[in-house]
Amino acid sequence: MGDLDIRTAVAGDIPVIVGMLADDPLGAQREAPDDLAPYLDALERINADPNQHLVVAVRGDRIVGTLQLTVIPGLSRRGATRSIIEGVRIHADERGSGLGTLFIEWAIDESRRQGCQLVQLTSDASRIDAHRFYERLGFTASHVGFKLEI
């Protein structure tokens, strides 16, 4: 991908990842960049599960994006394996550069490599620009999603 490297996230990446998660109106309400302990604990759990892939996009020596790819074996769709793309963030000064497209294309290619037949994602209902972005990449808004905080 030219000057872009996509690699597994490590503990030293957590401050930058959390900063990107918090750098929007929704994330600012739910993230806590001043307390990294829960994020480091989560990274340990993610790294212990072979179906979880938390990655960063690096340009030069700078992290410019992150996403989590989860691979889920299932029974439906004739035993299809699917992937879920979550927590996609592109650094504010990289938005509009084509990085998001490259990053999602990487996630789709990795899903194929992992044997997935379906890639899915959710996007908060308020993220209209993100919805248009995903539709341009071939995703369809085929389902209604529900969440329950517990």
Side-chain angles (χ1 to χ4, degrees), residues 11 14-15 18 32-45:
I14 293 299
V18 174
D34 55 328
D35 179 12
L36 297 179
Y39 300 98
L40 292 166
D41 290 344
L43 180 63
E44 285 184 29
R45 292 191 312 274

Side-chain angles (χ1 to χ4, degrees), residues 15-38:
V16 176
I17 293 171
V18 174
M20 284 189 291
L21 292 172
D23 186 28
D24 72 23
L26 294 173
Q29 299 172 34
R30 20 181 218 222
E31 305 304 339
D34 55 328
D35 179 12
L36 297 179

Side-chain angles (χ1 to χ4, degrees), residues 23-102:
D23 186 28
D24 72 23
L26 294 173
Q29 299 172 34
R30 20 181 218 222
E31 305 304 339
D34 55 328
D35 179 12
L36 297 179
Y39 300 98
L40 292 166
D41 290 344
L43 180 63
E44 285 184 29
R45 292 191 312 274
I46 290 166
N47 287 341
D49 183 341
N51 289 318
Q52 301 295 329
H53 310 278
L54 180 65
V55 298
V56 292
V58 180
R59 184 169 279 140
D61 61 354
R62 184 171 167 249
I63 295 172
V64 293
T66 187
L67 67 76
Q68 183 171 344
L69 183 68
T70 299
V71 176
I72 305 170
L75 289 177
S76 66
R77 294 179 178 248
R78 300 181 57 140
T81 298
R82 67 185 67 213
S83 67
I84 300 175
I85 301 171
E86 289 281 332
V88 179
R89 294 295 187 282
I90 302 298
H91 196 280
D93 62 5
E94 290 279 340
R95 293 180 194 141
S97 70
L99 172 61
T101 298
L102 289 173

Side-chain angles (χ1 to χ4, degrees), residues 76-149:
S76 66
R77 294 179 178 248
R78 300 181 57 140
T81 298
R82 67 185 67 213
S83 67
I84 300 175
I85 301 171
E86 289 281 332
V88 179
R89 294 295 187 282
I90 302 298
H91 196 280
D93 62 5
E94 290 279 340
R95 293 180 194 141
S97 70
L99 172 61
T101 298
L102 289 173
F103 212 16
I104 295 299
E105 287 173 347
W106 174 89
I108 294 167
D109 289 344
E110 181 61 19
S111 296
R112 278 190 194 99
R113 195 183 76 68
Q114 297 271 336
C116 298
Q117 291 82 37
L118 179 72
V119 179
Q120 59 192 44
L121 55 83
T122 60
S123 178
D124 190 274
S126 68
R127 296 183 190 273
I128 303 303
D129 290 340
H131 303 166
R132 284 192 293 266
F133 168 73
Y134 292 126
E135 287 170 350
R136 278 196 309 270
L137 293 175
F139 288 85
T140 58
S142 60
H143 290 68
V144 174
F146 297 89
K147 292 188 180 185
L148 174 67
E149 289 195 34

